[in-house]
């Protein structure tokens, strides 16, 4: 559904990517910065939020951001189904294309969904 909170978006991203505390992003999400048409979606399992993503409309492109699934709900197709729901709503609003950035772990998921890699970014992580 499109009823996720920014707390859920940050918490599930921190869980999904193994971050937290000072290294996490949850604290950065206290709402949408003014003027950004962001929507936040969640997939729930057993009453708890299991997967999240955010979208931003830009012209006719739907940007996909912060896709994450809690580790204990991974590999069940939740992110793909959540993305399909967000894309459907975007199309209903007039979005003609969608774009995203992916980690190496997520790239096979997006390839299966029909996305094509346009270029590669390097990800640098600070490790404890």
């Amino acid at each position: 559904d499109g009823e996720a909170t920014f707390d859920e978006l940050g918490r599930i991203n921190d869980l999904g990517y193994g971050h937290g505390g000072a290294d996490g992003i949850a604290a950065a999400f206290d709402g949408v910065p003014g003027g950004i048409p962001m929507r936040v979606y969640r997939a729930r399992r057993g009453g708890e939020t299991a997967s999240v993503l955010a979208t931003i409309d830009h012209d006719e492109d739907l940007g996909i951001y912060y896709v994450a699934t809690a580790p204990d709900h991974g590999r069940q197709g939740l992110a793909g189904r959540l993305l399909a729901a967000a894309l459907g709503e975007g199309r209903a609003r007039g979005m003609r294309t969608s774009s995203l950035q992916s980690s190496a772990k997520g790239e096979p998921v997006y390839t299966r969904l029909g996305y094509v890699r346009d270029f590669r970014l390097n990800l640098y992580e600070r490790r404890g």
Side-chain angles (χ1 to χ4, degrees):
D1 63 45
E3 302 298 320
T5 66
F6 284 94
D7 177 62
E8 289 171 308
L9 184 69
R11 183 174 53 81
I12 300 301
N13 267 270
D14 283 351
L15 285 172
Y17 293 101
H19 299 291
D23 291 329
I25 64 167
F29 289 113
D30 61 359
V32 179
I36 296 178
M38 181 182 277
R39 291 170 176 80
V40 185
Y41 295 84
R42 67 182 173 196
R44 299 171 60 111
R45 272 274 161 99
E48 71 178 80
T49 300
S51 187
V52 294
L53 65 80
T55 66
I56 298 175
D57 295 357
H58 179 72
D59 295 329
E60 293 182 337
D61 184 72
L62 184 67
I64 310 297
Y65 301 93
Y66 302 111
V67 180
T69 300
D72 53 339
H73 294 285
R75 306 195 58 80
Q76 298 175 29
L78 293 175
R81 291 196 312 259
L82 185 59
L83 178 59
L87 290 171
E89 287 188 15
R91 178 168 284 171
R93 288 192 308 278
M95 300 295 106
R96 296 173 43 87
T97 61
S98 64
S99 58
L100 53 86
Q101 296 84 42
S102 172
S103 65
K105 181 178 166 183
E107 187 173 2
V109 174
Y110 300 118
T111 299
R112 282 193 303 273
L113 294 171
Y115 285 87
V116 177
R117 180 174 11 118
D118 191 34
F119 59 91
R120 184 174 298 279
L121 297 171
N122 292 317
L123 173 65
Y124 297 92
E125 294 181 275
R126 181 176 56 146
R127 303 266 175 167

